[in-house]
Amino acid sequence: MCCKFNLAGDLIATGNANGAVTVFQPHSSGAVYELRPSSGALRHLPVTGVHFRKVGSPTDAVQNNILLASYSSGHVRHWHITTGQCLSTIKEDRETLAAAYSSDYRSFVTVGSDSKVHLYDESSLKLVSTFERSLSSSTMDGHASRVFAVRYHPSDPTSFLSAGWDDTIQFWDTRQSHSVRRISGPHICGDSLDIDSDTYDILTGSWSYSDTLQVWDFASGKLLSTFQPTPQCKLYAACWLRPGVALAGGTQAHLTVVADTRANKELGGMRDMGHSVYGLDYHQRSNTVAVAAGSKLYSVALSSTLQALLNQEH
């Protein structure tokens, strides 16, 4: 299960294991929209990623009423949220495991089970480029296994990162067919790769009991910090709340934690959730966190104490 806020913060979309995308209002128990293909043998396969188009003003319903969804069936669909209409469908010859919009929303990339990265034009929906590892046996300039996470640079629409089972973060330039550099270490199994919009620091959450939540310098690739949740937890999801403060969740301990990665301390969280945490998101203006655990979605307003901590200068 994955989850994402829209630009205004008044809707949360969840991608579910039954193939449906369900849209909720924060702090409300009932779904307001459900998006599901009307037919097809593969329509019940899991949704692996959901992403609202976030263009212009939060009140611009025309621009921000579109959602991009990826599926383990290999489908990539654009949905019109309020009408429930499927606007477009792309079928990839693989399991599509994640997708991401560029910072200008003119393109998007998808990753999946075959280690390749596909770049599409958002307007025409045409496949623009495919990025992959070269044939060189001495250079790992691409992925060697499944890719579970992809994230564009917050201000550069030609730059993005991807990560997965091969324990690397690959740095890509859309003008080159192979990755330009890499970081070795993080074992990524879900939506646990993020880039801070202010510092450009990279956040990784590994499905591992060691080196679990880590921060990396984007420019140099240098490891800046490592945070170990207590009790131990293997992570499926992680995202930035603000520079130096991260939200992460996963399995084994079934917890969600807010971590100050610079001071190496826990600021808050939710314990004993009963199910693994597969998706997380944060809406800054409303100070609301979305947590997808098992088949449940939690919408949580941050406490005034935690809000004050987030507003402090580090």
Side-chain angles (χ1 to χ4, degrees):
M1 189 178 186
C2 47
C3 61
K4 284 290 184 289
F5 282 100
N6 68 344
L7 182 60
D10 57 0
L11 295 175
I12 307 171
T14 65
N16 306 308
N18 64 1
V21 175
T22 310
V23 182
F24 298 88
Q25 292 178 328
H27 316 305
S28 174
S29 59
V32 290
Y33 306 108
E34 183 174 86
L35 313 173
R36 186 198 292 270
S38 58
S39 62
L42 302 178
R43 76 189 191 103
H44 296 296
L45 292 182
V47 183
T48 56
V50 289
H51 303 274
F52 283 96
R53 184 188 291 171
K54 299 179 181 180
V55 181
S57 166
T59 59
D60 188 343
V62 174
Q63 289 290 343
N64 296 303
N65 207 20
I66 307 300
L67 181 135
L68 175 69
S70 58
Y71 300 77
S72 64
S73 61
H75 290 89
V76 181
R77 294 186 171 97
H78 284 86
W79 292 95
H80 188 265
I81 299 164
T82 54
T83 64
Q85 181 182 0
C86 182
L87 302 176
S88 67
T89 300
I90 297 168
K91 178 64 174 73
E92 298 185 334
D93 187 22
R94 62 177 179 179
E95 295 176 42
T96 306
L97 300 175
Y101 271 119
S102 61
S103 59
D104 58 8
Y105 288 87
R106 294 180 179 177
S107 60
F108 62 91
V109 289
T110 65
V111 295
S113 57
D114 63 357
S115 76
K116 297 178 182 179
V117 183
H118 295 322
L119 170 67
Y120 295 91
D121 179 81
E122 170 70 359
S123 178
S124 68
L125 302 179
K126 291 182 178 180
L127 178 64
V128 177
S129 300
T130 295
F131 309 100
E132 59 184 315
R133 186 179 180 180
S134 69
L135 297 177
S136 172
S137 59
S138 61
T139 304
M140 192 174 181
D141 52 2
H143 287 291
S145 188
R146 288 172 172 255
V147 186
F148 282 92
V150 60
R151 190 73 79 241
Y152 263 96
H153 189 281
S155 62
D156 183 357
T158 68
S159 176
F160 65 92
L161 309 178
S162 59
W165 273 2
D166 62 10
D167 299 347
T168 68
I169 306 169
Q170 298 289 342
F171 291 70
W172 303 90
D173 184 319
T174 58
R175 296 158 293 192
Q176 301 189 42
S177 57
H178 311 303
S179 71
V180 295
R181 56 192 176 100
R182 74 178 188 276
I183 293 172
S184 297
H187 184 70
I188 303 300
C189 295
D191 187 19
S192 57
L193 174 68
D194 202 7
I195 307 173
D196 184 81
S197 58
D198 294 322
T199 65
Y200 303 147
D201 286 346
I202 302 166
L203 178 71
T204 58
S206 289
W207 199 80
S208 171
Y209 284 138
S210 61
D211 300 331
T212 308
L213 188 66
Q214 295 182 299
V215 181
W216 312 80
D217 178 72
F218 188 97
S220 67
K222 178 183 176 182
L223 177 64
L224 300 178
S225 65
T226 298
F227 176 84
Q228 298 295 137
T230 303
Q232 289 183 316
C233 180
K234 296 180 178 180
L235 299 180
Y236 280 122
C239 68
W240 284 116
L241 298 186
R242 55 145 293 150
V245 180
L247 177 70
T251 188
Q252 310 300 326
H254 300 158
L255 60 80
T256 300
V257 62
V258 178
D260 185 328
T261 62
R262 296 174 180 174
N264 194 33
K265 66 178 181 180
E266 181 179 327
L267 300 179
M270 295 186 289
R271 305 280 181 177
D272 302 320
M273 300 187 70
H275 299 278
S276 297
V277 175
Y278 292 107
L280 297 167
D281 200 18
Y282 172 60
H283 189 262
Q284 185 174 14
R285 283 190 294 272
S286 63
N287 275 307
T288 303
V289 167
V291 180
S295 60
K296 296 181 179 180
L297 174 69
Y298 298 85
S299 175
V300 182
L302 298 183
S303 68
S304 57
T305 302
L306 188 51
Q307 288 183 41
L309 289 171
L310 293 180
N311 291 330
Q312 290 178 1
E313 292 294 331
H314 278 60

